[in-house]
Every structure is written in structure tokens, then in C-alpha cells.
Amino acid sequence: MSMIMWFNEYAPSVKASVGGKGASLGEMTGAGLPVPPGFALTTAAFLASKEKAGLDAELAVHLDGLDTNDTNMVSERCSEIRRAIEGMAMPSAVEDDLRSAYATLCSESNTDDVPVAVRSSATSEDSPDASFAGEHDTYLWVRGADDVVAAVRRCWASLFTDRATCYRVEMGYEHHTVEMSVVV
């Protein structure tokens, strides 16, 4: 099963797996608006990678007893979580799908190593009770498959920036329920 959803293949039934940005770009493409070609790496890719790395237990340790009023604690623990996520290996099927989709984008653009934006698209974005705008990271002018893979890991890790972590606590969201798609 591919973990890629091209903007021009978007259907409302996949909204939960591509996050707010991914869904909006798919809807705009479907409406005929001028959207550059691209794709979303679905939340299934993040979940498969996290599961393969056995990261849930480590995340739980860092999040247990987190005091969001203690900025030093938040910075230290969130930094450890981001480091773990950025260092986790992707399952080969996920990485192969991502590299293949980027190669297709390069081919369709008639450009070797086409520069892309790699953007976080969390499932909590644009929810009725909270706005996570600006809480997660975006990387611009990313070129080459290796750099796209690295930027995807950094987007996943941005689920645990200090600001995003504290905002989730403030809004009553459980950390383990938030998933990340990445738009390229």
C-alpha cells in the first residue's frame, strides 16, 4: 500500500491521513485552482516509522510528568524527543515510496532535484477548537531525495517543538493521538 497521496488524487475520505494542509491542497487542486504539483506522505508513514523504531515507550518517558510551566524541562525533554524522531529509521517501504514520489515530481517538472517545500500537516491542524498554525515546521527550497527524506523527519519531529507541545497540553490534546502527514 502506497503511503503517498497526490494532490490531484485527493478524495475527502483521506482527509484524516493527510492533515489540514494536505487536504486543503488536494481540495484546491480538485477545484482547478493553480496549485503546484505535489503529494502528501500520509500519517500511516509516520506511524509505521514510529512503530518500527519502537518510539512510543521513549516518548512516554519524556512526556511523563512534563510541567509546561518549567521552560527548561520542556526544552530539554522536547529536544530529546525531536532528536529521537529525527534519528529513527523509516521502514524501507515508506522511504521507497517517498523517494519514488519525489523522483516522479522531478520527472514531471523536467528538473533534476526539483526544489520543493516540505511542510508539516498535522492531524490536529485546523480543528474546530484549536489552531496549530505556525506550531509545526516547514522547510523551503529542499533539493534532492536525501534532503527530502531528512526534511520529512524534521517535520515529524516538529510535533514536539516546545511551542507545539505546550499548546497541545493547554488545549487538552493527548500527545499520542496527534499524527503528522508531510506535504511535498
Side-chain angles (χ1 to χ4, degrees):
M1 172 183 153
S2 176
M3 299 196 185
I4 301 296
M5 192 260 348
W6 290 91
F7 298 160
N8 63 351
E9 297 172 346
Y10 175 77
S13 62
V14 300
K15 183 174 185 174
S17 67
V18 297
K21 276 187 203 77
S24 294
L25 289 164
E27 289 169 2
M28 289 187 294
T29 299
L33 295 170
V35 175
F39 60 89
L41 182 65
T42 68
T43 57
F46 172 66
L47 295 173
S49 298
K50 197 170 65 151
E51 182 178 319
K52 179 183 180 187
L55 223 54
D56 283 334
E58 183 176 347
L59 297 180
V61 167
H62 290 300
L63 294 169
D64 185 49
L66 181 68
D67 179 358
T68 57
N69 293 312
D70 183 341
T71 57
N72 289 330
M73 177 190 284
V74 170
S75 292
E76 180 181 304
R77 291 189 183 186
C78 287
S79 177
E80 289 297 319
I81 292 170
R82 288 191 308 275
R83 189 176 359 267
I85 293 172
E86 287 179 31
M88 73 182 175
M90 286 182 193
S92 59
V94 172
E95 188 167 339
D96 291 348
D97 278 357
L98 177 57
R99 287 177 181 275
S100 176
Y102 178 71
T104 298
L105 197 58
C106 290
S107 176
E108 289 177 358
S109 302
N110 294 318
T111 305
D112 293 337
D113 295 335
V114 66
V116 293
V118 180
R119 307 187 67 201
S120 303
S121 186
T123 56
S124 56
E125 289 177 2
D126 305 327
S127 61
D129 59 340
S131 172
F132 282 81
E135 299 296 322
H136 305 112
D137 293 343
T138 289
Y139 299 92
L140 304 176
W141 209 254
V142 178
R143 296 182 77 153
D146 291 342
D147 289 343
V148 170
V149 170
V152 164
R153 283 192 185 98
R154 290 193 310 270
C155 283
W156 287 344
S158 75
L159 271 173
F160 292 96
T161 60
D162 298 4
R163 65 188 179 269
T165 303
C166 290
Y167 187 64
R168 268 195 306 279
V169 169
E170 179 183 327
M171 298 307 295
Y173 281 74
E174 294 292 329
H175 299 292
H176 66 276
T177 64
V178 180
E179 299 169 0
M180 180 70 77
S181 170
V182 178
V183 171
V184 179

